């Protein structure tokens, strides 16, 4: 238990049979026996779905994240269509940063763009601490969703300090994260001040979601794989640990891309589940993460563009390798690509369920 003022409490005691806390997804996160391997997809809400594109045709991205009725509808779409084992809140990692007072926009075809990038100590002070009132639309959307979803768990999420810092320092998406690294190596004190402030914002944002009723959270450190393990431990791990260790009551998933060398450290940050991209087989990943954590992953999203027999063989391989872990949540190794045929996603869900429950029948 933490001593935070928001009064976050462990919710295990509330778990009624059949409720979200007893769902295959939450059971797998907690390394408990499951009736079938649970499956959901990063970026399942959006992109590939025509019903999503229809809604978004007339509403800019950030605005859609601030309208609870749209957040609720978009979050539910992939649950209805694919029968996934969990919903993920429709939002974006920059939503809390915008709520903290940073002028930014999400530009179609580009991603988040920051009007005045963060480069100095005075800039860091522009990132205000947030309260529930700053993100009341998220609180409201989560409360609506928990009612609508019934027994299906809702995953809340936030961006981790390094990945958020990258957007803020670069001013937008970056391949190399060169300005971010220049600040990190060039002014260690400023770097830690920036990440400590971002950790505060992220922690507050995740606590709002937990209080409103999400069943699990995922911390996205999508771009942490740009760092060596030594630099990750020195510059990033303390801040991600501050976030994950400040949360109680729900399973915590920690995910990044290209993080083969960081999997052990990302688990140490305080995760219950470590997300793995497609580069590391799940049995190898489990060896690095340790037997006290579940894994999530790790189908290459591009495989979904291949003929079905290829997809099927990859799903079988991943389920097999996932058996080495004490808990496995099936997912992609990164987000759904926009050009993915949604019917293939639906087939993957059915296949994962079929193959994993057949195995359970056989004991
Ligand atoms: O993909 C990841 O690595 C996950 C973490 C992450 C999110 N947003 C979470 C998210 C990252 C790195 C971002 C930044 C971002 N935001 C980008 C990437 C730019 C880059 O650097 O390459 C983009 C394109 C956006 C804007 C954005 N976010 C759009 C247009 C959408 C809606 C539909 C879509 O998926 O394209 C989002 C939604 C979004 N961002 C979700 C999440 C978890 C929605 C929920 C879900 O996963 O279904």
């Amino acid at each position: 238990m933490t001593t935070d003022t928001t009064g976050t409490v462990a919710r295990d005691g509330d778990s009624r049979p059949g409720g979200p806390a007893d769902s295959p997804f939450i059971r797998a996160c907690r390394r408990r026996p499951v009736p079938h391997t649970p499956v959901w997809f990063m970026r399942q809400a959006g992109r590939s779905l025509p019903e999503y594109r229809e809604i978004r045709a007339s509403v800019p991205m950030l605005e859609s994240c601030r309208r609870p009725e749209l957040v609720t509808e978009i979050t539910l779409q992939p649950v209805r269509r694919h029968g996934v084992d969990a919903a993920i809140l429709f939002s974006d990692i920059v939503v809390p940063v915008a709520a903290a007072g940073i002028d930014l926009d999400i530009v179609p075809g580009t991603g988040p763009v920051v009007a005045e990038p963060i480069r100095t100590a005075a800039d860091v002070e522009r990132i205000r601490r947030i309260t529930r009132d700053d993100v009341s639309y998220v609180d409201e959307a989560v409360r609506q969703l928990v009612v609508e979803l019934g027994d299906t768990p809702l995953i809340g999420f936030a961006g981790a300090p390094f990945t958020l810092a990258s957007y803020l320092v670069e001013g937008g998406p970056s391949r190399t994260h060169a300005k971010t690294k220049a600040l990190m190596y060039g002014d260690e004190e400023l770097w830690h001040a920036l990440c400590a402030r971002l950790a505060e914002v992220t922690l507050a944002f995740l606590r709002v979601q937990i209080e409103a009723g999400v069943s699990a959270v995922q911390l996205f450190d999508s771009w942490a794989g740009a760092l060596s393990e030594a630099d990750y431990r020195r510059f990033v791990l303390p801040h991600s640990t501050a976030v994950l260790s400040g949360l109680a009551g729900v399973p915590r998933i920690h995910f990044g891309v290209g993080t083969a060398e960081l999997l052990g450290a990302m688990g140490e940050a305080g995760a219950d589940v470590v997300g793995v991209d497609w580069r590391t087989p799940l049995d190898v990943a489990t060896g690095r993460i340790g037997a006290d954590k579940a894994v999530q992953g790790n189908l290459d999203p591009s495989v979904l563009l291949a003929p079905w027999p290829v997809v099927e063989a990859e799903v079988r391989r991943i389920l097999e390798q996932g058996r080495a872990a004490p808990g496995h949540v099936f997912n992609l190794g990164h987000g759904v690509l926009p050009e993915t045929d949604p019917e293939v996603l639906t087939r993957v869900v059915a296949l994962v369920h079929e193959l994993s429950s057949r195995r359970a029948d056989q004991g």
Side-chain angles (χ1 to χ4, degrees):
M1 276 282 294
T2 53
T3 53
D4 70 275
T5 51
T6 62
T8 301
V9 289
R11 213 183 280 114
D12 256 2
D14 300 356
S15 70
R16 58 189 168 84
D22 194 36
S23 62
F25 168 70
I26 296 296
R27 294 183 66 88
C29 290
R30 297 213 183 275
R31 311 190 307 282
R32 293 182 183 146
V34 287
H36 60 257
T37 302
V39 47
W40 69 281
F41 305 110
M42 289 183 276
R43 300 289 189 103
Q44 68 188 17
R47 294 177 151 202
S48 66
L49 299 186
E51 58 270 35
Y52 165 79
R53 289 198 217 106
E54 201 183 310
I55 291 181
R56 279 290 322 285
S58 57
V59 190
M61 176 62 192
L62 271 179
E63 189 190 330
S64 66
C65 297
R66 292 176 181 140
R67 286 173 51 181
E69 78 287 3
L70 291 187
V71 172
T72 300
E73 168 56 24
I74 296 171
T75 300
L76 291 173
Q77 286 177 346
V79 180
R80 281 188 208 121
R81 192 191 252 266
H82 305 308
V84 281
D85 290 275
I88 181 158
L89 179 74
F90 181 76
S91 188
D92 190 76
I93 59 167
V94 297
V95 164
V97 180
I102 299 303
D103 182 6
L104 58 84
D105 196 8
I106 296 181
V107 177
T110 301
V113 174
V114 179
E116 292 175 64
I118 304 288
R119 307 270 163 81
T120 66
D123 290 337
V124 171
E125 287 309 314
R126 291 197 276 120
I127 310 170
R128 295 194 312 255
R129 294 174 178 86
I130 61 167
T131 67
R132 184 197 320 253
D133 290 346
D134 295 307
V135 287
S136 54
Y137 41 84
V138 169
D139 175 75
E140 205 178 308
V142 170
R143 288 175 195 277
Q144 278 178 15
L145 275 162
V146 168
V147 173
E148 296 276 337
L149 282 163
D151 293 344
T152 302
L154 175 64
I155 305 169
F157 76 92
F162 177 80
T163 293
L164 291 177
S166 170
Y167 287 107
L168 292 176
V169 174
E170 305 287 338
S174 164
R175 232 175 248 284
T176 60
H177 310 278
K179 293 190 181 77
T180 312
K181 290 185 182 182
L183 191 156
M184 189 176 88
Y185 295 121
D187 190 341
E188 190 160 349
E189 197 184 331
L190 177 58
W191 172 259
H192 285 298
L194 170 59
C195 288
R197 178 58 59 90
L198 291 171
E200 284 184 72
V201 171
T202 294
L203 181 55
F205 187 56
L206 289 172
R207 281 178 173 166
V208 169
Q209 296 175 55
I210 292 173
E211 293 255 304
V214 299
S215 293
V217 292
Q218 176 155 325
L219 187 65
F220 284 93
D221 211 350
S222 302
W223 313 136
L227 300 175
S228 68
E229 184 185 354
D231 287 346
Y232 177 83
R233 286 184 178 279
R234 176 168 168 181
F235 295 109
V236 178
L237 182 60
H239 304 291
S240 295
T241 303
V243 176
L244 291 170
S245 66
L247 302 169
V250 300
R252 298 150 297 180
I253 309 167
H254 197 187
F255 168 79
V257 184
T259 52
E261 302 302 322
L262 307 181
L263 291 170
M266 289 182 75
E268 285 170 39
D272 303 287
V273 185
V274 177
V276 181
D277 83 0
W278 61 90
R279 294 170 180 88
T280 313
L282 292 180
D283 49 350
V284 175
T286 298
R288 294 179 186 179
I289 294 161
D292 61 336
K293 295 183 195 327
V295 295
Q296 177 174 278
N298 69 346
L299 182 66
D300 184 336
S302 313
V303 166
L304 297 175
L305 309 178
W308 178 252
V310 178
V311 179
E312 180 168 344
E314 283 296 276
V315 170
R316 283 178 187 275
R317 175 182 65 77
I318 289 162
L319 283 172
E320 207 47 55
Q321 291 171 339
R323 296 179 77 184
H328 176 207
V329 175
F330 194 100
N331 204 314
L332 305 179
H334 198 187
V336 175
L337 297 168
E339 61 268 45
T340 307
D341 176 353
E343 302 216 343
V344 176
L345 292 171
T346 308
R347 279 184 88 177
V348 168
V349 174
L351 181 64
V352 169
H353 287 168
E354 185 204 317
L355 293 174
S356 58
S357 45
R358 188 182 301 153
R359 190 178 297 134
D361 290 347
Q362 290 167 352

